[in-house]
């Protein structure tokens, strides 16, 4: 009861202002994403009935830079029902370059948010070994969860499906459509 959609929205507003230092902007460009996050994180049936999404899938948030995708997820990362582990794809690629691998440590988090998929160097070279983390990650999650749920994942990207295919291959593009509810957001750069 306590962790309903209204709670998630209040948390989003409070965290934005008190922890991230800026008042939450709600406009036509981000209203759908805010509603989606609130319904998704609170297990509100309107996620499926009103928005037409599926709780068996994760979220793929697509839109150009500066629309507040990452900011909104940061605002709700510490929600009580589904705490989120935020991972930067650029930092993952840097660690793979240095160490040859990247291990995701969930701790007490229930959801994984891969931020800015497509901005990283897709294939990283570690002493002659070529590693494409996102491709390997998606294929492994798909294989392990086939026929089950992918709701533990949130991904943000600035890339179109064609760009995703060019970076990670057709198989990843195809699996993404199967694994994620696609949330496209448009608008102007809110950073100024």
């Amino acid at each position: 009861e306590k962790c309903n959609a209204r709670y998630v929205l209040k948390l989003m507003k409070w965290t934005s202002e008190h922890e991230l230092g800026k008042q939450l902007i709600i406009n036509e460009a981000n209203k759908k994403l805010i509603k989606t996050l609130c319904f998704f994180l609170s297990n509100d049936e309107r996620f499926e009935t009103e928005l037409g999404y599926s709780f068996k899938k994760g979220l793929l948030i697509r839109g150009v830079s500066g629309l507040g995708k990452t900011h909104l997820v940061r605002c709700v990362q510490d929600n009580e029902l589904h705490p989120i582990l935020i991972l930067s794809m650029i930092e993952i690629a840097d660690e793979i370059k240095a160490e040859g691998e990247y291990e995701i440590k969930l701790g007490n988090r229930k959801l994984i948010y891969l931020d800015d998929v497509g901005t990283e160097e897709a294939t990283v070279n570690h002493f002659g070994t070529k590693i494409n983390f996102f491709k390997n990650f998606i294929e492994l999650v798909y294989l392990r969860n086939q026929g089950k749920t992918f709701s533990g994942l949130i991904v943000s990207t600035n890339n179109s499906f064609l760009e995703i295919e060019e970076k990670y291959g057709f198989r990843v593009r195809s699996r993404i459509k199967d694994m994620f509810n696609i949330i496209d957001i448009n608008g102007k750069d809110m950073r100024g």
Side-chain angles (χ1 to χ4, degrees):
E1 283 291 317
K2 177 188 165 198
C3 296
N4 60 22
R6 188 172 290 128
Y7 154 79
V8 177
L9 181 59
K10 282 183 183 177
L11 175 66
M12 192 180 288
K13 289 178 178 179
W14 189 91
T15 304
S16 184
E17 187 173 339
H18 294 94
E19 291 186 12
L20 301 177
K22 48 184 150 180
Q23 193 163 356
L24 185 68
I25 297 170
I26 300 175
N27 58 33
E28 285 307 310
N30 68 10
K31 195 180 287 185
K32 180 180 179 184
L33 177 55
I34 290 171
K35 187 183 277 191
T36 299
L37 286 170
C38 290
F39 290 172
F40 182 72
L41 294 173
S42 65
N43 295 327
D44 191 307
E45 67 183 24
R46 293 177 290 179
F47 182 74
E48 294 184 327
T49 59
E50 185 179 313
L51 300 179
Y53 296 134
S54 168
F55 276 119
K56 291 184 178 185
K57 295 181 176 188
L59 302 178
L60 176 75
I61 307 164
R62 288 191 313 179
V64 297
S65 296
L67 297 178
K69 300 181 296 292
T70 303
H71 179 79
L72 291 174
V73 174
R74 276 194 184 118
C75 289
V76 294
Q77 74 182 22
D78 293 324
N79 76 86
E80 292 179 35
L81 202 54
H82 298 291
I84 303 166
L85 174 66
I86 297 177
L87 301 172
S88 161
M89 286 301 296
I90 292 171
E91 290 173 7
I92 289 172
D94 286 347
E95 186 165 325
I96 291 171
K97 270 186 206 172
E99 304 296 326
E101 63 182 3
Y102 185 85
E103 183 182 345
I104 296 174
K105 297 175 184 142
L106 269 175
N108 66 347
R109 304 295 169 159
K110 293 185 179 176
L111 302 178
I112 296 170
Y113 175 61
L114 295 178
D115 186 31
D116 279 336
V117 167
T119 58
E120 84 285 1
E121 198 176 326
T123 302
V124 176
N125 196 354
H126 178 74
F127 295 105
T129 303
K130 295 185 183 310
I131 302 164
N132 188 320
F133 173 83
F134 186 70
K135 177 183 182 290
N136 296 342
F137 177 80
I138 289 296
E139 290 186 0
L140 183 63
V141 170
Y142 189 82
L143 181 67
R144 286 187 178 165
N145 293 307
Q146 211 164 16
K148 298 178 191 168
T149 180
F150 302 102
S151 60
L153 297 175
I154 304 173
V155 170
S156 72
T157 186
N158 304 336
N159 294 154
S160 67
F161 279 120
L162 182 59
E163 291 167 318
I164 286 171
E165 182 178 338
E166 288 170 0
K167 287 183 185 207
Y168 309 110
F170 177 78
R171 286 167 51 108
V172 170
R173 174 186 174 164
S174 176
R175 282 165 173 70
I176 282 177
K177 289 183 176 182
D178 211 19
M179 296 169 66
F180 294 96
N181 296 290
I182 312 299
I183 298 94
D184 287 315
I185 58 172
N186 300 297
K188 294 181 180 173
D189 186 341
M190 292 196 292
R191 292 186 187 121

